[in-house]
Amino acid sequence: MAKVLYITAHPHDETLSYSMSAAKAFIETYKEVNPDDEIIPMDLYKENIPYIDADVFQGWGKLQSGKGFEELSEGEQAKVGRLSELSEQFIQADKYIFVTPLWNFSFPPLMKAYIDSVAVAGKAFRYTEDGPVGLLTDKKALHIQARGGIYSEGPAAAMEMGHRYLSIIMDFFGVPSFEGLFIEGHAAMPEKAEEIKENAIVRAKELAHTF
């Protein structure tokens, strides 16, 4: 039985979002194909995802100096403790499904905050004399991303930084398999929007059988 983190970073649901629509089709089909797997939904717009701020750095500093967790301030405990929970949950999972729109060539800031919370040395990766080495070598990941324009080819391809960032991070973590499912062009070609959506749903269902 695999443990699957279903990580969504979108303020809309499947009725308004193309990425969430394809993701819903994917996860429903995945559940049918893998009924024994545990699916853990992570709606980042509803989860407590602390930003790494002064409280976090102060809390980490105290712990590194030998102080106990109980010696941290209430704010430091809340943020440091939550970051530790998120990191532990991430490394315990077997598969990751990231769902985002393409916003300003990247993704919503909550996704970056989430990645920051799980990019922990000694858990997701470790430092060696030869540089960092990823520790999540038995995982696999998928990114479902909606793009209103066309970013898979041409000059715009160099401007897409959301999927490329996640690809770099997954490689940094040592994740050997990272796939992408892209829904694109629906804003640029509104007359084809429904066709693009339906094709994405078909591809999502197909991918769910092999992920």
Side-chain angles (χ1 to χ4, degrees), residues 12-22 24 197:
H12 296 317
D13 62 15
E14 69 279 0
T15 64
L16 297 174
S17 162
Y18 282 69
S19 54
M20 292 293 286
S21 179
K24 181 182 179 182
K197 180 180 179 180

Side-chain angles (χ1 to χ4, degrees), residues 48 50-56 60 69 73-86:
N48 171 22
Y51 289 103
I52 297 178
D53 59 10
D55 285 339
V56 172
W60 284 344
F69 185 78
S73 71
E74 184 176 340
E76 292 165 356
Q77 286 184 10
K79 294 176 182 178
V80 170
R82 178 55 177 160
L83 288 172
S84 180
E85 290 175 359
L86 290 168

Side-chain angles (χ1 to χ4, degrees), residues 7-204:
I7 307 156
T8 59
H10 206 301
H12 296 317
D13 62 15
E14 69 279 0
T15 64
L16 297 174
S17 162
Y18 282 69
S19 54
M20 292 293 286
S21 179
K24 181 182 179 182
F26 174 90
I27 202 67
E28 288 179 348
T29 304
Y30 182 89
K31 289 177 181 178
E32 294 174 1
V33 176
N34 304 278
D36 295 328
D37 283 7
E38 179 185 3
I39 311 296
I40 304 171
M42 291 285 293
D43 182 344
L44 300 189
Y45 276 84
K46 296 178 181 178
E47 294 284 344
N48 171 22
I49 312 293
Y51 289 103
I52 297 178
D53 59 10
D55 285 339
V56 172
F57 278 116
Q58 290 169 5
W60 284 344
K62 290 176 182 178
L63 293 176
Q64 290 171 355
S65 69
K67 291 185 177 181
F69 185 78
E70 68 281 356
E71 297 181 76
L72 275 60
S73 71
E74 184 176 340
E76 292 165 356
Q77 286 184 10
K79 294 176 182 178
V80 170
R82 178 55 177 160
L83 288 172
S84 180
E85 290 175 359
L86 290 168
S87 172
E88 190 63 28
Q89 180 189 55
F90 192 80
I91 65 172
Q92 291 299 323
D94 302 295
K95 300 178 182 180
Y96 313 113
I97 302 163
F98 301 98
V99 185
T100 74
L102 180 66
W103 281 5
N104 298 317
F105 312 117
S106 186
F107 41 58
L110 280 170
M111 181 59 79
K112 178 59 167 62
Y114 179 73
I115 294 298
D116 285 345
S117 76
V118 301
V120 179
K123 291 187 176 182
F125 65 95
R126 64 184 174 88
Y127 292 111
T128 73
E129 293 181 354
D130 299 319
V133 175
L135 300 177
L136 306 183
T137 56
D138 57 346
K139 319 293 186 182
K140 64 188 310 184
L142 167 68
H143 181 204
I144 300 175
Q145 179 199 56
R147 310 160 166 179
I150 303 296
Y151 290 86
S152 59
E153 57 187 26
M159 302 168 68
E160 195 288 316
M161 294 178 284
H163 182 72
R164 284 195 291 163
Y165 175 82
L166 286 177
S167 180
I168 291 170
I169 285 293
M170 292 299 103
D171 184 62
F172 182 66
F173 289 172
V175 176
S177 174
F178 180 56
E179 300 177 79
L181 174 61
F182 310 120
I183 308 99
E184 59 179 6
H186 44 280
M189 299 175 290
E191 73 282 1
K192 295 184 177 181
E194 192 60 30
E195 178 185 352
I196 291 170
K197 180 180 179 180
E198 292 304 317
N199 287 339
I201 288 173
V202 170
R203 287 187 287 123

